[in-house]
Amino acid sequence: MFVVSLQSGSNGNSVYVETGSARLLIDAGISGIQAQERLAAFGRDIRSVDAVIITHDHSDHVRCMGVYQRKFGLPAYITSRTLSAAAWQKLGKLSDVRHFHAGETIRFGTTAVETISTPHDGVDGVAVVVDDGRRRMGVLTDLGHAFDGLEAVIDSLDGVLLESNYDCQMLASGPYPEFLKQRIQGPGGHLSNDEAAAVLCRCAARRLQWACLGHLSEQNNEPHKAMETHRRVLGADFPLHIASRYQAAGPWQLV
């Protein structure tokens, strides 16, 4: 399995996952040109992607879905509730939309994409796990909180891109208004560095080959702070990566 984070953060998200039978984009929050050029840098043609799977209705995940379809011919997989909630973003004409239900498994040849409902404050949001029959890769961002069952999901994975959105001290002392701070650290918001590290600590020694920290806040986090927190909890030896807010990161393999 071959994984590239094309970008990760509130300014736009898209993750490329390739198996023996499928080439998938998880989310469409960066421009078509950016997605095309960043994939090309890894020798991949965006027109050969089998599907773009949308996790929820927030603009940093869905806003370019229509462009990917019209320009590159990619079918879009999205729940009907998510599509309705995203309608205000003027996605443009959509000719190939394939609905799934949160919790459903979508199949592409021998590859299964499991969708997992999340308590994030999007509409009908999901996290995804890509399973090629041998290895399992999770894209787990915009989770809301460390909900029941999250550790069991991570326990089953060989690789994970897990949100590590904010540093608690930076959020508390930062410029955001109080209502937004409460939203971010509330049950529909995001995982902090400490929360993500605690979850990984309980799972990392089992099956995981590596973890990538994603969806870092620009205002309330820094890559070195996220890494320091996780290293303090996980130790120096566990393979950790950071998904950039500004460019592609990877590739990472699952073997």
Side-chain angles (χ1 to χ4, degrees):
M1 198 177 292
F2 178 92
V3 182
V4 174
S5 171
L6 299 182
Q7 188 168 295
S8 183
S10 58
N11 56 330
N13 296 271
S14 189
V15 181
Y16 176 76
V17 182
E18 178 181 310
T19 72
S21 66
R23 296 184 174 198
L24 306 170
L25 282 175
I26 313 302
D27 287 324
I30 63 174
S31 74
I33 291 174
Q34 286 175 318
Q36 182 179 32
E37 291 180 347
R38 292 175 187 181
L39 279 172
F42 295 94
R44 268 62 180 179
D45 182 355
I46 193 170
R47 289 180 174 82
S48 71
V49 169
D50 296 296
V52 56
I53 300 167
I54 302 299
T55 61
H56 65 292
D57 62 293
H58 290 168
S59 64
D60 55 323
H61 294 260
V62 71
R63 61 178 167 239
C64 294
M65 179 182 78
V67 174
Y68 288 22
Q69 186 164 114
R70 292 185 296 275
K71 188 168 184 176
F72 306 120
L74 306 189
Y77 287 73
I78 188 170
T79 76
S80 58
R81 290 177 60 206
T82 296
L83 183 60
S84 295
W88 68 271
Q89 300 186 58
K90 300 180 180 178
L91 300 175
K93 183 178 180 181
L94 300 170
S95 59
D96 191 357
V97 174
R98 307 180 189 186
H99 291 303
F100 66 90
H101 297 287
E104 184 179 348
T105 296
I106 313 164
R107 299 194 178 274
F108 302 89
T110 58
T111 297
V113 178
E114 301 168 11
T115 65
I116 301 154
S117 293
T118 70
H120 186 57
D121 58 8
V123 174
D124 208 23
V126 298
V128 302
V129 172
V130 181
D131 185 332
D132 68 358
R134 187 166 167 270
R135 298 300 181 194
R136 289 168 57 80
M137 170 66 200
V139 180
L140 310 181
T141 67
D142 300 79
L143 298 178
H145 62 272
F147 55 87
D148 289 346
L150 178 60
E151 287 185 23
V153 172
I154 297 176
D155 256 344
S156 78
L157 301 179
D158 299 282
V160 64
L161 192 157
L162 177 67
E163 75 168 339
S164 189
N165 180 253
Y166 65 95
D167 173 83
C168 294
Q169 192 169 34
M170 286 185 70
L171 178 65
S173 61
Y176 281 7
E178 188 60 30
F179 79 88
L180 186 52
K181 292 179 182 181
Q182 292 302 319
R183 179 250 165 187
I184 290 168
Q185 62 190 354
H190 294 281
L191 299 191
S192 69
N193 293 337
D194 293 313
E195 290 169 323
V199 169
L200 279 179
C201 182
R202 292 190 284 269
C203 304
R206 296 166 189 157
R207 181 170 173 170
L208 281 177
Q209 297 180 24
W210 50 260
C212 178
L213 311 180
H215 218 299
L216 274 65
S217 169
E218 182 176 34
Q219 294 289 333
N220 304 305
N221 209 353
E222 295 175 357
H224 78 271
K225 284 186 175 291
M227 189 63 80
E228 285 172 0
T229 299
H230 284 262
R231 283 284 174 230
R232 185 172 63 249
V233 174
L234 293 167
D237 295 333
F238 182 75
L240 281 174
H241 310 286
I242 297 281
S244 172
R245 290 179 55 88
Y246 309 107
Q247 58 193 13
W252 305 295
Q253 304 272 358
L254 292 175
V255 296

